[in-house]
C-alpha cells in the first residue's frame, strides 16, 4: 500500500530565498556541525502562528491544509529549531515536496 497523498501547501514568497541557506553557531565550521533540515511549510506555519499570531485554523486556511497538519508542522518545526539552538547544530532550510504556487502571493518553485 502506498503512502497517503500530501495536499499542496501554500507558502508566501519571502521563504523562496531561504532554500539552501544555513544558520549555524558562530565560530564553528559547518563541516563540524550536525545539520537539521527545516522545510518551508514548517517555517511558514511557525511564522503565521507565532509571528502573525494567527490561530491554527486560520493558518490552515491560508496554507490550504487542515488544522491537524498545521499542529504537526508547528510541533516538528519548533522541535527542530530548539534542538539546533540547545545542541549547537546548524539549520538548513529546504523546500518540501508539496509546496505549491497556485495562489497569487505564493512562490514559484
Amino acid at each position: 500500500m502506498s503512502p497517503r497523498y500530501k495536499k499542496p501547501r501554500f507558502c508566501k514568497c519571502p521563504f523562496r530565498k531561504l532554500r539552501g541557506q544555513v544558520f549555524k553557531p558562530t565560530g564553528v565550521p559547518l563541516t563540524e556541525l550536525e545539520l537539521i533540515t527545516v522545510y518551508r511549510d514548517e517555517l511558514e506555519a511557525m511564522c503565521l502562528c507565532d509571528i502573525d499570531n494567527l490561530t491554527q485554523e486560520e493558518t490552515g486556511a491560508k496554507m490550504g491544509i487542515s488544522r491537524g497538519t498545521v499542529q504537526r508542522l508547528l510541533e516538528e518545526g519548533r522541535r527542530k529549531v530548539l534542538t539546533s539552538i540547545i545542541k549547537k547544530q546548524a539549520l538548513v532550510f529546504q523546500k518540501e515536496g508539496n509546496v505549491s504556487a497556485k495562489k497569487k502571493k505564493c512562490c514559484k518553485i
Side-chain angles (χ1 to χ4, degrees):
M1 186 177 277
S2 62
R4 185 175 167 179
Y5 169 77
K6 278 187 168 184
K7 288 178 74 174
R9 287 108 193 256
F10 301 105
C11 294
K12 294 191 292 187
C13 290
F15 302 116
R16 179 178 66 209
K17 296 176 183 176
L18 283 178
R19 186 174 16 175
Q21 282 192 357
V22 176
F23 289 91
K24 67 175 196 69
T26 58
V28 182
L30 188 59
T31 55
E32 295 177 14
L33 293 172
E34 184 176 332
L35 303 178
I36 297 177
T37 301
V38 176
Y39 295 106
R40 200 159 72 191
D41 54 353
E42 295 167 340
L43 190 60
E44 175 79 0
M46 289 188 292
C47 180
L48 291 172
C49 286
D50 298 334
I51 295 174
D52 296 345
N53 292 316
L54 297 180
T55 64
Q56 291 181 7
E57 290 83 8
E58 292 167 332
T59 298
K62 274 197 157 192
M63 293 180 69
I65 55 177
S66 71
R67 188 211 50 82
T69 302
V70 171
Q71 185 176 8
R72 284 187 291 280
L73 291 172
L74 287 171
E75 182 180 323
E76 188 66 15
R78 290 171 178 163
R79 182 189 61 76
K80 289 175 179 181
V81 170
L82 286 173
T83 299
S84 72
I85 292 169
I86 292 168
K87 294 186 176 183
K88 297 179 183 172
Q89 298 170 339
L91 285 176
V92 179
F93 296 98
Q94 294 294 330
K95 171 195 162 209
E96 174 106 62
N98 283 344
V99 177
S100 181
K102 290 184 181 178
K103 290 189 178 177
K104 257 186 177 178
K105 293 187 176 182
C106 294
C107 304
K108 292 181 181 177
I109 45 175

